[in-house]
Amino acid sequence: MGSKSIKSLLVAVFSLIIIFFSYVSYAQDKGAEVTPPQEKFDPGKEIMTHIQDAYQFHFFTLGNFHASIHLPVILYSPQKGFSVFSSSRFGEEGEEAYNGYKLENGSIVSVEPGVDVYDFSLTKNVVQMLIALTILVFLMVGIAKKYKKGQGITTAPTGWQNAIEPIITFVRDDVAKANLGKRYKKYMPYLLTIFFFILINSIFGLLPGSANVTGNIAFTAVMGVISFFVILFSSNKHYWGHIVNPPVPWGIKPILIPVEILGVFTKPFALIVRLFANMVAGHIIILSFISLIFIFGGMNKIAGWSFSPISILFTVFIYLIEILISFIQAFIFTNLTAIFIGQAFEGSDHDVDHHADPVIV
Amino acid sequence: MELLLPKLGLIVWTLIAFAIVFFILKKFAWKPILKSLDERAKNISDSIQTAEKVRAEMALLKSENEALLMKAREERAVMLKEAKDTKDRIINEAKDQAKLETNKIIADAQVAINQQKMAAITDLKNQVGNLVIEVSEKVLRRELSNKQDQENYIKQLADNAKLN
């Protein structure tokens, strides 16, 4: 999209807004008495249910018809052992109790007090993640097979090879080699895996009706904790020396040592929160623009209809940005992990000349 | 708040999924792909090196060819010069030879001429002798008959001899 078409898009959007607001002020006078009180639309609640995990894929509800796929619930409780059943047992609205368990605020609790419940259900996020990863594995193994056959070595690469190869070489040259120096080969499988792991889940999370996997704190926490351990296992004496005994005057040491120790944990924590916040924010913005239609629709039917084109335009715009952000966040996560690993083992051998500042928000 | 609390189930499943995906991809995808990319990079750099080498060789060959050509040209010039020299020498030799031959022929001719001249002179001398003898004979015969006539006759003979 050229800058010219963006400009004309903005002009169209703003002129529509101006027209619309003049219309709303007129419509509000009459609208109050005409529209009957309907079921109140709560955008906050609606958005939260969309970006959170669920026990079923819910697409739409039409009257009494619920278009949703129920997923298996797997529970373990020390008192009752394992129990596996479909989430449809809880009813369409999750109002029913089954087998001594019930849904409360989106999570499963026991009906009887004092019974602990460990929830290992194949939720929306889990199922979607598994589907996305299966596709990723098949895609990558297929590409690897092509390479094994010699396609892309002596001849030009074809098909998916052309799409994946630049990303792989980018991760190798600009992420791994730039930050890890000579030791980059050891970390390549890990860096490539986290990059594509995050990327494919972000991309799948953009599909309408899908789960927001990379925008779930549990997912990003796992990724961050793995990074944390990889960083720790790469560290050397020099790294710990800097943390326990930083090269600063004596007076500053009591201040700096706690800061340095905290820094060990804040680095992966920042990774966790950055990915989570970026993905959640993107989804919230998209859902907000969609919700605007219904908020205006709640005020006045005509207002809702006339606002929908603007809302759709903005949604499309944000969607395109979200695709970009999926790539950028996967890159940032991978790149920062590589930088932290590089910092953890630098000093021992001076092949790493790249001192990237890890201050990226 | 619900949003910020990680749930155990998803953590466990993500961890399992990541571990499995990591090991599968590491073994079956990243290793062959990275190996192939390295191999290709090596192939390309090797090809470029080979091309450079071939080009250098070609340049060397070309310069060698040029040197050969130069040498050939020089040789040709030398040969031409030699041929010309030889030709000149042969011509000169031929000329000298011819001169010598001519001189010899001339000398021979002169010798022959001299010989013949000598022969002619001898012949003439003999004839003169004979004539003298004949005349003397006749004179002697006449002297006996007439003194006057004898003198006239001698005079006449002398005139005849002068004419000869």
Side-chain angles (χ1 to χ4, degrees):
Chain A
M1 210 192 283
S3 65
K4 208 176 172 188
S5 49
I6 289 177
K7 221 185 255 174
S8 46
L9 182 94
L10 286 176
V11 169
V13 165
F14 284 118
S15 40
L16 269 172
I17 288 173
I18 292 162
I19 294 166
F20 167 73
F21 276 121
S22 57
Y23 176 74
V24 167
S25 51
Y26 159 75
Q28 268 175 342
D29 303 332
K30 278 186 177 177
E33 46 203 340
V34 177
T35 42
Q38 286 179 340
E39 196 185 331
K40 191 89 174 103
F41 175 73
D42 181 359
K45 189 174 152 257
E46 202 64 30
I47 289 170
M48 280 303 149
T49 54
H50 270 89
I51 58 172
Q52 274 180 15
D53 208 353
Y55 292 95
Q56 81 271 9
F57 274 105
H58 180 247
F59 299 109
F60 60 89
T61 303
L62 208 69
N64 281 329
F65 175 70
H66 295 272
S68 53
I69 302 167
H70 288 281
L71 300 167
V73 174
I74 304 167
L75 300 173
Y76 175 74
S77 114
Q79 288 88 353
K80 292 159 99 180
F82 275 104
S83 47
V84 180
F85 53 91
S86 166
S87 66
S88 60
R89 304 282 187 184
F90 289 128
E92 289 300 342
E93 302 288 330
E95 67 285 344
E96 295 160 31
Y98 176 78
N99 210 5
Y101 298 107
K102 62 175 181 185
L103 266 174
E104 208 175 85
N105 290 330
S107 49
I108 295 171
V109 290
S110 178
V111 178
E112 309 142 38
V115 175
D116 295 323
V117 181
Y118 297 103
D119 184 2
F120 298 107
S121 305
L122 290 173
T123 56
K124 190 164 119 172
N125 277 343
V126 175
V127 170
Q128 191 189 301
M129 181 176 73
L130 295 181
I131 292 169
L133 293 178
T134 312
I135 289 169
L136 176 71
V137 166
F138 272 104
L139 185 70
M140 290 303 171
V141 172
I143 290 170
K145 262 186 197 151
K146 256 187 174 180
Y147 277 112
K148 271 185 194 163
K149 275 186 205 155
Q151 179 81 46
I153 299 175
T154 49
T155 55
T158 54
W160 277 104
Q161 278 179 314
N162 281 325
I164 299 302
E165 206 185 284
I167 303 176
I168 292 176
T169 49
F170 174 74
V171 171
R172 186 188 63 187
D173 298 338
D174 293 326
V175 175
K177 273 187 191 167
N179 298 311
L180 304 175
K182 281 181 208 155
R183 295 202 203 169
Y184 81 97
K185 268 203 173 135
K186 194 175 140 197
Y187 294 97
M188 273 308 283
Y190 170 64
L191 293 176
L192 282 172
T193 309
I194 53 170
F195 183 87
F196 284 105
F197 200 88
I198 294 168
L199 179 66
I200 194 131
N201 278 312
S202 300
I203 296 281
F204 268 72
L206 288 177
L207 295 174
S210 66
N212 178 21
V213 181
T214 43
N216 191 299
I217 192 87
F219 177 89
T220 59
V222 170
M223 303 306 295
V225 168
I226 293 170
S227 286
F228 175 67
F229 281 112
V230 172
I231 294 164
L232 282 195
F233 282 120
S234 314
S235 60
N236 60 11
K237 236 194 250 167
H238 183 264
Y239 173 72
W240 291 108
H242 255 269
I243 289 166
V244 181
N245 188 18
V248 289
W250 275 104
I252 306 171
K253 272 189 187 180
I255 308 166
L256 205 60
I257 291 170
V259 171
E260 288 280 357
I261 291 169
L262 259 174
V264 175
F265 299 98
T266 51
K267 282 169 187 172
F269 186 74
L271 287 179
I272 295 170
V273 174
R274 180 183 302 108
L275 180 60
F276 164 72
N278 271 288
M279 296 323 290
V280 164
H283 281 77
I284 289 176
I285 293 171
I286 290 175
L287 290 165
S288 303
F289 277 120
I290 298 293
S291 298
L292 274 180
I293 299 174
F294 297 98
I295 293 168
F296 283 120
M299 292 179 196
N300 181 303
K301 215 164 201 176
I302 301 161
W305 278 108
S306 48
F307 191 73
S308 53
I310 306 160
S311 192
I312 295 293
L313 268 179
F314 271 117
T315 309
V316 168
F317 181 62
I318 298 295
Y319 240 111
L320 294 174
I321 288 176
E322 275 298 290
I323 294 168
L324 188 67
I325 284 174
S326 299
F327 280 91
I328 291 171
Q329 286 305 321
F331 162 67
I332 288 176
F333 197 101
T334 316
N335 198 35
L336 286 179
T337 304
I339 288 171
F340 296 150
I341 293 170
Q343 284 176 341
F345 70 55
E346 87 186 328
S348 64
D349 44 10
H350 288 280
D351 54 8
V352 185
D353 52 333
H354 185 81
H355 264 269
D357 207 3
V359 186
I360 298 176
V361 181
Chain B
M1 208 50 221
E2 190 77 15
L3 194 65
L4 297 174
L5 294 173
K7 280 194 184 164
L8 179 71
L10 189 57
I11 290 177
V12 170
W13 285 113
T14 309
L15 205 59
I16 293 169
F18 184 84
I20 292 169
V21 167
F22 175 69
F23 285 110
I24 290 177
L25 288 184
K26 188 185 172 185
K27 189 152 194 289
F28 296 107
W30 307 137
K31 238 178 213 171
I33 290 174
L34 290 171
K35 214 181 109 214
S36 304
L37 290 178
D38 282 349
E39 215 170 291
R40 188 174 65 193
K42 206 173 149 281
N43 262 355
I44 291 170
S45 69
D46 280 358
S47 304
I48 291 170
Q49 259 179 12
T50 314
E52 284 288 326
K53 226 169 90 185
V54 167
R55 200 158 63 187
E57 268 172 17
M58 286 290 284
L60 202 76
L61 231 88
K62 209 180 155 194
S63 65
E64 265 175 16
N65 276 350
E66 255 164 30
L68 268 173
L69 215 73
M70 278 274 272
K71 219 173 138 194
R73 261 192 214 125
E74 270 169 22
E75 264 174 23
R76 192 189 63 180
V78 168
M79 274 164 86
L80 275 175
K81 200 167 163 276
E82 272 175 10
K84 211 179 159 216
D85 288 353
T86 316
K87 184 193 81 177
D88 288 351
R89 209 182 66 228
I90 289 168
I91 289 171
N92 285 340
E93 270 173 14
K95 271 184 187 165
D96 291 350
Q97 194 81 20
K99 225 177 235 171
L100 274 173
E101 290 282 317
T102 320
N103 288 348
K104 208 177 146 197
I105 289 165
I106 291 168
D108 283 355
Q110 273 173 347
V111 167
I113 289 164
N114 275 345
Q115 270 177 354
Q116 289 201 352
K117 200 171 92 185
M118 290 309 285
I121 289 169
T122 315
D123 198 28
L124 192 66
K125 273 179 183 169
N126 288 343
Q127 275 185 15
V128 170
N130 283 341
L131 267 174
V132 169
I133 292 163
E134 268 174 38
V135 169
S136 311
E137 200 184 86
K138 279 168 188 173
V139 167
L140 281 173
R141 265 174 209 167
R142 279 247 188 136
E143 202 178 353
L144 293 166
S145 53
N146 192 342
K147 186 116 175 191
Q148 187 67 44
D149 283 348
Q150 199 186 350
E151 282 183 1
N152 283 347
Y153 191 58
I154 291 168
K155 208 176 171 190
Q156 192 193 333
L157 281 177
D159 286 344
N160 280 354
K162 267 183 199 168
L163 285 168
N164 263 352

